[in-house]
Amino acid sequence: MVSAVLNYQVVAPIKAMFDVQNYRVYAETNVQAVVKKVVGSHTYNELKSETDTINAALKAQAQEKVTPAGIEIVALQLNELNYAPEIAASMLKKQAAGAMLEARTLIVAGAVQIATDAITQLETSSQISLTQEDKVKIVTNLLTVTCGVEETTPVISVN
């Protein structure tokens, strides 16, 4: 849904009275058509980020349409931009997926750093000798615990 606020004044009353049947309806109808045309040619993000440029284009195009009725547009601005409900739901899902991906990327980077630091500290500060297999187990366990969504359950492996 899109709406706009229109402020205008009649500058040629003779034209407004005799050149069109009803100058108010004429102005509203033509401005609505211009708003639909301009909004349809831009993305939602452009409409949100380039408001000054788009409002200027709206005003200029609408002025061309209403001049024959003796009307001068003082201001014309978009004031409400809402997605249709089905599009809004999809956009929220997309936004949530992006946030989840960003969070997971950060979690994995942190988990890898934790695992790397753990192996380094174990090798340098203790008298434990770690085999490649031991390192793999430690890294696997740490990554599982730090990256997992579910609560972890300790498991003891007996060989």
Side-chain angles (χ1 to χ4, degrees):
M1 180 171 131
V2 177
S3 65
V5 175
L6 169 65
N7 295 310
Y8 66 90
Q9 62 185 7
V10 176
V11 292
I14 302 293
K15 285 183 170 185
M17 292 297 295
F18 298 111
D19 289 358
V20 294
Q21 193 170 30
N22 182 330
Y23 73 89
R24 288 184 179 121
V25 172
Y26 184 86
E28 288 176 16
T29 302
N30 281 284
V31 169
Q32 283 177 1
V34 168
V35 167
K36 287 179 183 179
K37 178 184 171 195
V38 171
V39 166
S41 66
H42 294 281
T43 66
Y44 180 80
N45 289 338
E46 290 171 342
L47 292 172
K48 283 291 204 182
S49 64
E50 301 172 17
T51 53
D52 292 339
T53 305
I54 291 170
N55 285 335
L58 277 172
K59 184 178 176 185
Q61 289 181 35
Q63 185 61 62
E64 289 178 26
K65 298 288 186 186
V66 299
T67 297
I71 296 171
E72 177 188 345
I73 294 180
V74 177
L76 175 57
Q77 298 178 334
L78 294 176
N79 73 328
E80 186 175 358
L81 296 170
N82 294 321
Y83 286 117
E86 60 276 5
I87 295 173
S90 296
M91 290 303 291
L92 284 174
K93 286 180 184 176
K94 180 180 176 184
Q95 185 179 12
M100 185 179 289
L101 180 63
E102 188 177 326
R104 283 284 171 205
T105 302
L106 185 61
I107 289 168
V108 169
V112 169
Q113 187 62 49
I114 289 169
T116 303
D117 290 348
I119 297 294
T120 303
Q121 286 180 11
L122 284 170
E123 288 182 327
T124 59
S125 67
S126 69
Q127 298 172 356
I128 300 173
S129 174
L130 297 173
T131 65
Q132 191 63 26
E133 186 178 317
D134 292 335
K135 292 178 188 178
V136 168
K137 285 181 183 178
I138 291 170
V139 169
T140 301
N141 288 335
L142 284 172
L143 290 177
T144 301
V145 170
T146 54
C147 294
V149 177
E150 304 285 325
E151 287 291 321
T152 56
T153 306
V155 176
I156 299 174
S157 178
V158 180
N159 290 345

